[in-house]
Amino acid sequence: MAKKKAAVEDPPAPKTDPFPIVGVGASAGGIEAFLELLRALPQKPGFAMVYILHHDGRTESALAQVVQHATNIPVVRLDGPRDVEIERDRIYVAEGNTNVTIFEGRLRSMRVPKTDGGTSPIDTFLLSLAEEEHGRAIGVILSGSASDGAMGMKMIRSEGGITFAQDETAQFKGMPEAAQEAGGVDYTLRPSNIAAELVRIARSDYFSKVAREAKLPDNDLQKIFSILESSFDVDFTHYKPSTVQRRIQRRMALQRIEALSDYVEFLKANPNEPALLYADILIRVTGFFRDPEVFVALRGIAAELLKGRNEDDPLRIWVPGCASGEEVYSIAMTLMEVMQESNTFSRIQIFGTDLSDAAVDRARFGVYSEAAIADVSPERLNRFFTRFDGGYRIAKPVRECCIFARQNITKDPPFSRLDLISCRNVMIYLGQVLQQRVMGIFHYALRPSGYLLLGTSETIGTFGELFNPVDRKHKIYQKKNGVSRPTLQFQPMLPHERGVRIIPERELAVPSNVFREADRVLLSRYTPPGVLINEDLEILQFRGRTSQFLEPAPGIATFNLLKMAREGLLAELRAAVQAARKTERPIRREGVRIANPRGVTTVTLEVIPFVTQTQERCFIILFDEAAAEDEQPAKKTAGKKKAAKGAKEETEPSRQGARLKRELEATREYLQSIIEEQEAMNEELRSANEEIQSSNEELQSTNEELETAKEELQSSNEELMTLNEELENRNSELAEVNNDLVNLLASVDIPILMLDAGLRIRRFNPSAQKVLNLIPTDAGRSINDLKLSFDLKDLDQLILEVVENLETREIEVSDRNGRWYTLRVRPYKTAEKKIDGAVLVLIDITHLKKP
């Protein structure tokens, strides 16, 4: 076979580095598109490709041979039960009636029975590819009808992979358009351009092991988080780092950007990019009745919740992270089925919330493609869906019990008094800090014995003190009552509050006017060494050199005056301060002996009390040093007189005794004052303690009530806002429907008259107004009170028979002008299949009566 010329030169393919795997799906017209893609690939593109063709497989095909003729890349045929190790630079082609999946790096193919095309082999492979390869998966959808592959493409994109769809060059646009409508397409290109992008992405760092495991710079990440927070009021700092970083790397690969700093600048320069990144981070795959066994378990929980419930107590359910609403509607359908089976009735309120406005709007509209409802049984499809604009819309009774709104569960007030919270595949995106906060919110929002449903990959982890496991397999838990939980603070910290400096307590406790007042007092007297202290004897300021009188105490650092006093100073200092505090006058103590490293120093101690402008009592302690005494006098010369020596020996003990007596008196005075104060203080403390205990109990009770009231008010406010938003949307829908009805009636040239159950005129169109001689004010009047333009006896009886028998009646009538009409009377049915009146239609048959 002749060698084909590669459109792109071969890249250097590392053998040890993981390589991307490309899944290509196509149907009618897809072979030509796939061959165009292959011709644009080099012989060694750097990835493996699996081609799945959606067809019935009733006839044998030579698809693998056709593909091999178009490329030099080795082609491997997948037919029947095979287990093949997937390799780089290979193309694997699945033949008809073959389902292919990937597991642990191996392709597994299996023959399936021949069908009329009802299977989804493309979705089967793409879903397994996304689950196995995550961010290394690439999906491509080429020409084809129907919608096979749409869900697989969305799953690949949600796992961090990259997706392509053929543009308007597709011969059949059903499959590419279905993938785009499902939100699963990054690029829309012609096949040859898809090939070029595949080669570029395979060569980029996005799929390399080093790039995947490397941690992005924190500085640039914080800049990105700030941009997103300023645009969407969502802080991704505490979201799961690996997920967020991978989504950022994905956007960089799509925009052909290598450095994160360059991507930060790109975000700033392109207003649309933050929204695209935000949507990428929030993308979440969901579906109707996903994990069917979970909904089987949920039926038992629903039956338990419905027991003994009256109509005035609605069943309240919250689905945070609802995405496009499939989970919410699935729960609503399940509840309706359970109520029908158990012959019970209760109002249902299901709140679906999400961070994405686009997802909430889509969920509220309730319209889904055929691919989205692939897992819905025919019975449910007939009961809960209606055909709408090429897809399916949720029936009105189901939509009316579901309320959707945007909400950030990590900081916005939650709903309250809930019976069930279904939070599936949301916690896996949150870091530990946010998980702890969200679990506390869920515990608060649930009623006593309410239930919590988590995803298959999630668990309550370390929050077992808040919930009891009910069904470990399906991750259903029940609220524990009587356990403590953190107080919920729904008001986020303001941006300007995050950089507030923490001022030391000492700095806060010492206003600057204390220093000014101290300076004024000292300047009016003299300025020996001293310290400034407060009421608690804490030193606020050292003035002059005080090391001879004070020294740091061993142990924990402290500025307490008494703990820093040197030996000999403590008793006199404490007594002087106590006397100054009691008398509020300066106290002076002379001849105080202090032991210091230089020997013994005699000082005069003075304590001066004063009050600051802020009514704070402070003291200035002054140390006035006297001449130092020599504790070891020099030896007297032998020539001194004996009388002088005797006098000296007699004077020394007297001085010692006087000093000790003075110290004893000071100690006695201090102890007496301490005893008096202690007795008074004990009495006051006893009384105060009783009051404090009583007040503490009251405050605790009041605080709990206030916290509960605050949380309930915040929750109620959030719920009212959500309900208001839903009502506004429904009002808009009703206004639109009313406009459509008015225009429809005005454009129909057939007289139509609508009556309510009491035979009062509900509505009529302009043709009826003209033929029946009606005026606008006739609306609301009984038809028996009107004089119509034709004579018909027992018209009211005829209408009542139609309403009672639920059958349409037709009679011929003529008006006063000789014109003949067929009068058709049929029951008026509401959306709930109730009969609420009748509809009268007049069809002109005058031309049939003419001879």
Side-chain angles (χ1 to χ4, degrees):
M1 185 176 65
K3 294 282 185 180
K4 312 285 189 302
K5 184 179 180 181
V8 183
E9 65 178 49
D10 298 338
K15 296 182 180 180
T16 58
D17 209 24
F19 56 88
I21 300 175
V22 181
V24 182
S27 183
I31 296 179
E32 293 82 356
F34 184 56
L35 295 180
E36 178 185 342
L37 186 153
L38 291 179
R39 295 187 185 101
L41 288 177
Q43 185 174 355
K44 293 185 178 181
F47 51 80
M49 179 177 287
V50 182
Y51 179 59
I52 310 292
L53 183 64
H54 183 112
H55 66 95
D56 56 19
R58 294 181 178 180
T59 58
E60 295 295 329
S61 69
L63 182 59
Q65 290 85 343
V66 172
V67 172
Q68 186 65 82
H69 279 290
T71 180
N72 288 330
I73 305 173
V75 177
V76 180
R77 180 179 179 181
L78 301 175
D79 59 340
R82 293 192 64 183
D83 191 342
V84 180
E85 184 175 357
I86 193 164
E87 300 180 48
R88 187 197 298 264
D89 301 326
R90 295 287 189 276
I91 297 176
Y92 300 85
V93 177
E95 296 293 346
N97 295 331
T98 302
N99 275 352
V100 181
T101 58
I102 182 172
F103 181 72
E104 295 183 351
R106 302 184 68 85
L107 292 174
R108 297 178 176 179
S109 58
M110 180 182 299
R111 299 287 290 182
V112 295
K114 295 182 179 181
T115 65
D116 57 358
T119 59
S120 303
I122 301 175
D123 269 331
T124 299
F125 176 71
L126 294 183
L127 289 171
S128 71
L129 178 63
E131 185 176 355
E132 174 73 13
E133 296 296 319
H134 303 290
R136 284 197 300 271
I138 299 178
V140 179
I141 293 295
L142 301 178
S143 173
S145 56
S147 59
D148 191 11
M151 296 306 296
M153 292 281 279
K154 186 175 181 181
M155 175 67 82
I156 288 176
R157 194 163 182 261
S158 72
E159 292 292 337
I162 298 175
T163 55
F164 300 84
Q166 188 174 355
D167 59 7
E168 65 276 0
T169 59
Q171 186 176 353
F172 295 89
K173 299 180 175 59
M175 284 172 51
E177 289 180 351
Q180 293 181 56
E181 290 174 1
V185 177
D186 292 311
Y187 290 105
T188 304
L189 305 169
R190 66 174 301 126
S192 58
N193 293 337
I194 292 176
E197 284 297 316
L198 289 175
V199 174
R200 178 189 68 80
I201 293 173
R203 293 179 178 180
S204 69
D205 293 336
Y206 181 65
F207 292 103
S208 69
K209 184 177 180 180
V210 175
R212 291 173 63 85
E213 295 178 354
K215 188 176 184 299
L216 298 179
D218 290 336
N219 186 37
D220 291 328
L221 277 178
Q222 289 302 321
K223 292 179 182 178
I224 293 176
F225 293 157
S226 297
I227 293 173
L228 294 176
E229 185 174 9
S230 62
S231 300
F232 304 103
D233 193 28
V234 178
D235 185 5
F236 290 102
T237 303
H238 295 295
Y239 277 61
K240 193 174 182 181
S242 58
T243 301
V244 176
Q245 293 189 31
R246 193 59 183 160
R247 299 300 166 85
I248 293 174
Q249 290 174 330
R250 181 180 181 278
R251 290 304 309 172
M252 292 170 61
L254 293 175
Q255 298 297 342
R256 303 175 177 85
I257 297 174
E258 298 293 334
L260 186 60
S261 57
D262 295 335
Y263 184 65
V264 173
E265 297 302 321
F266 183 80
L267 276 173
K268 295 178 181 177
N270 294 270
N272 294 331
E273 183 62 21
L276 295 174
L277 175 60
Y278 180 72
D280 251 24
I281 295 176
L282 296 183
I283 190 171
R284 196 172 294 115
V285 175
T286 184
F288 287 103
F289 300 96
R290 191 179 184 189
D291 301 324
E293 62 276 7
V294 174
F295 283 89
V296 174
L298 189 60
R299 295 174 71 89
I301 300 299
E304 187 69 24
L305 292 173
L306 289 170
K307 286 182 180 178
R309 187 178 295 270
N310 56 57
E311 296 185 7
D312 297 330
D313 185 16
L315 193 63
R316 293 166 58 85
I317 298 171
W318 180 24
V319 184
C322 67
S324 48
E326 290 92 330
E327 175 89 2
V328 176
Y329 291 128
S330 298
I331 293 176
M333 297 177 206
T334 302
L335 292 175
M336 290 182 175
E337 291 172 347
V338 172
M339 286 192 295
Q340 183 182 29
E341 294 170 0
S342 60
N343 197 25
T344 58
F345 175 78
S346 175
R347 288 194 300 120
I348 302 174
Q349 291 180 339
I350 306 181
F351 304 98
T353 63
D354 199 274
L355 279 174
S356 171
D357 289 310
V360 169
D361 290 340
R362 183 178 178 186
R364 185 181 290 122
F365 193 45
V367 175
Y368 301 93
S369 64
E370 292 189 2
I373 52 94
D375 295 330
V376 179
S377 65
E379 295 79 9
R380 285 170 172 161
L381 196 62
N382 292 331
R383 179 181 177 185
F384 299 116
F385 292 82
T386 58
R387 275 284 186 179
F388 184 88
D389 195 21
Y392 290 87
R393 189 174 192 184
I394 302 294
K396 186 177 181 181
V398 182
R399 282 188 285 118
E400 285 182 342
C401 66
C402 302
I403 301 172
F404 296 93
R406 183 186 186 277
Q407 184 191 45
N408 185 347
I409 63 172
T410 63
K411 72 173 187 177
D412 291 336
F415 301 95
S416 60
R417 303 186 306 281
L418 299 170
D419 298 286
L420 170 68
I421 296 177
S422 175
C423 184
R424 303 172 69 198
N425 301 322
V426 175
M427 301 293 288
I428 57 176
Y429 296 100
L430 306 180
Q432 185 66 25
V433 174
L434 294 183
Q435 286 185 11
Q436 184 173 3
R437 174 173 176 79
V438 169
M439 279 297 181
I441 289 175
F442 288 167
H443 187 271
Y444 156 74
L446 287 170
R447 286 178 174 177
S449 302
Y451 292 91
L452 172 65
L453 172 62
L454 298 179
T456 55
S457 301
E458 299 169 329
T459 179
I460 58 173
T462 59
F463 307 104
E465 73 279 2
L466 298 180
F467 298 95
N468 281 321
V470 175
D471 187 338
R472 293 183 183 274
K473 180 181 178 181
H474 300 113
K475 305 300 176 65
I476 301 176
Y477 304 88
Q478 190 171 32
K479 174 181 177 179
K480 280 185 180 179
N481 298 315
V483 298
S484 61
R485 57 170 174 79
T487 301
L488 304 182
Q489 297 292 336
F490 300 121
Q491 181 63 34
M493 183 180 292
L494 299 176
H496 67 272
E497 294 177 343
R498 296 177 179 172
V500 175
R501 180 176 67 93
I502 304 301
I503 302 175
E505 182 180 355
R506 183 173 306 282
E507 185 176 341
L508 289 173
V510 186
S512 58
N513 61 338
V514 175
F515 306 136
R516 292 195 298 270
E517 187 68 17
D519 291 337
R520 186 190 66 78
V521 174
L522 291 177
L523 289 175
S524 65
R525 300 175 66 85
Y526 46 82
T527 56
V531 291
L532 173 65
I533 65 172
N534 60 14
E535 180 79 11
D536 298 324
L537 305 186
E538 291 287 327
I539 298 175
L540 305 179
Q541 186 185 33
F542 294 92
R543 307 181 72 86
R545 300 177 63 87
T546 59
S547 58
Q548 299 180 55
F549 320 108
L550 305 172
E551 65 175 346
I556 299 175
T558 178
F559 281 95
N560 185 272
L561 176 66
L562 301 181
K563 291 182 179 181
M564 295 185 67
R566 286 189 179 275
E567 183 182 352
L569 180 62
L570 178 61
E572 293 283 359
L573 184 58
R574 184 160 46 190
V577 172
Q578 187 67 22
R581 178 187 286 130
K582 188 173 182 179
T583 62
E584 296 186 356
R585 292 188 303 174
I587 300 297
R588 186 180 180 89
R589 291 285 191 270
E590 297 181 353
V592 179
R593 295 168 61 84
I594 303 174
N596 56 48
R598 298 192 313 178
V600 177
T601 302
T602 301
V603 299
T604 297
L605 178 67
E606 187 167 6
V607 180
I608 307 172
F610 67 94
V611 179
T612 67
Q613 294 179 354
T614 58
Q615 302 303 310
E616 181 182 3
R617 180 186 292 178
C618 294
F619 303 88
I620 295 176
I621 312 296
L622 301 177
F623 306 101
D624 191 4
E625 185 177 0
E629 296 184 4
D630 188 1
E631 288 295 308
Q632 297 179 353
K635 293 183 179 181
K636 305 300 180 181
T637 59
K640 292 252 186 191
K641 294 182 179 180
K642 186 177 181 180
K645 183 177 180 181
K648 174 74 174 176
E649 292 175 353
E650 184 179 356
T651 305
E652 190 64 28
S654 62
R655 291 181 179 178
Q656 186 80 8
R659 185 172 66 253
L660 291 175
K661 185 177 180 180
R662 186 168 62 249
E663 292 179 359
L664 182 60
E665 287 293 333
T667 303
R668 185 182 294 112
E669 292 176 4
Y670 176 72
L671 289 176
Q672 183 64 31
S673 64
I674 289 296
I675 291 171
E676 294 174 358
E677 290 185 0
Q678 186 70 26
E679 291 176 351
M681 189 175 296
N682 286 341
E683 186 64 31
E684 293 177 0
L685 285 175
R686 280 193 293 268
S687 176
N689 186 52
E690 295 175 357
E691 295 179 1
I692 288 173
Q693 287 180 343
S694 176
S695 300
N696 185 48
E697 294 175 357
E698 294 178 3
L699 287 174
Q700 285 180 343
S701 176
T702 303
N703 185 57
E704 292 175 1
E705 294 176 0
L706 289 175
E707 288 292 340
T708 302
K710 174 188 173 185
E711 294 169 358
E712 291 180 355
L713 285 174
Q714 289 173 319
S715 299
S716 300
N717 183 57
E718 179 71 16
E719 187 172 334
L720 288 173
M721 292 174 62
T722 303
L723 289 172
N724 183 59
E725 181 181 354
E726 185 71 17
L727 288 174
E728 288 179 354
N729 284 280
R730 291 186 179 178
N731 285 338
S732 300
E733 293 179 4
L734 289 175
E736 183 178 352
V737 170
N738 184 64
N739 292 334
D740 293 343
L741 178 60
V742 171
N743 283 277
L744 176 63
L745 291 175
S747 61
V748 174
D749 194 22
I750 298 176
I752 300 175
L753 180 66
M754 299 181 185
L755 306 178
D756 62 13
L759 302 187
R760 291 181 292 272
I761 296 176
R762 186 196 304 272
R763 189 187 296 270
F764 52 84
N765 66 348
S767 296
Q769 181 178 351
K770 179 180 178 181
V771 172
L772 300 177
N773 294 328
L774 299 176
I775 59 177
T777 56
D778 287 336
R781 297 179 62 188
S782 174
I783 194 170
N784 294 324
D785 297 338
L786 301 177
K787 187 176 182 180
L788 302 178
S789 60
F790 58 84
D791 295 327
L792 179 62
K793 295 181 179 180
D794 300 327
L795 176 60
D796 55 345
Q797 188 64 33
L798 174 64
I799 296 172
L800 291 175
E801 290 178 0
V802 168
V803 172
E804 182 177 353
N805 299 327
L806 304 181
E807 60 181 12
T808 302
R809 295 281 302 275
E810 290 187 1
I811 61 174
E812 294 182 356
V813 297
S814 63
D815 63 9
R816 297 185 184 90
N817 298 323
R819 300 192 66 83
W820 285 86
Y821 299 89
T822 296
L823 173 62
R824 181 177 299 162
V825 184
R826 60 184 304 165
Y828 181 100
K829 296 181 180 179
T830 66
E832 292 77 18
K833 306 299 183 182
K834 294 181 179 180
I835 306 302
D836 191 26
V839 180
L840 281 63
V841 180
L842 291 170
I843 302 175
D844 194 340
I845 57 172
T846 303
H847 63 285
L848 298 177
K849 291 291 185 178
K850 291 181 179 180

